[in-house]
Amino acid sequence: MEMDENTTLQEQLKEDVGPVILINQFNVKPEEADQLLKAWATDAAFMKQQAGFISTQIHRGIGKSCVFLNYAIWESVESFKRAFSNPEFQSRLADYPSSTVASPHLFRKVAVPGICVE
């Protein structure tokens, strides 16, 4: 599911910028949360070995939430695109629970004077 109705992930993959931050929200049924984490950990280990990967982290909503938020930092859109389109990675998507709804989107840091740097 697209996070932004104005720009799809496929359109973002045509950009030539970096570094970029992948934000991916996952929604899953409660009984499939452990399976989601297992699949994500396998993917993260694979991505960690790819050129241009910098870091990643996953978060889970508190309480009984089954909303997960993953962010990953990449040197460039191109490095993310190469890793994301890798057939080995693509074949692993089938390991995610059937109830998984993912919303991936690429971001860049924004400088706000006196608050945050670019």
Side-chain angles (χ1 to χ4, degrees), residues 11-18 20 76-78 81 108:
E11 291 168 340
Q12 290 184 308
L13 293 176
K14 297 174 187 171
E15 298 289 322
D16 183 20
V17 298
V20 293
S76 66
V77 171
E78 185 59 34
K81 184 169 53 175
R108 286 192 325 172

Side-chain angles (χ1 to χ4, degrees), residues 35 38-50 86-97:
Q35 183 183 351
K38 182 178 178 183
W40 180 86
T42 300
D43 282 350
F46 173 81
M47 291 299 196
K48 190 175 177 179
Q49 303 303 314
Q50 304 308 300
N86 182 302
E88 186 178 345
F89 171 77
Q90 288 293 313
S91 71
R92 292 181 179 175
L93 296 178
D95 295 339
Y96 281 83

Side-chain angles (χ1 to χ4, degrees), residues 16-57:
D16 183 20
V17 298
V20 293
I21 295 89
L22 167 72
I23 302 289
N24 197 355
Q25 178 179 315
F26 298 99
N27 292 50
V28 67
K29 290 181 180 177
E31 62 272 16
E32 295 181 330
D34 288 342
Q35 183 183 351
L36 173 94
L37 287 171
K38 182 178 178 183
W40 180 86
T42 300
D43 282 350
F46 173 81
M47 291 299 196
K48 190 175 177 179
Q49 303 303 314
Q50 304 308 300
F53 173 87
I54 296 173
S55 67
T56 193
Q57 182 67 53

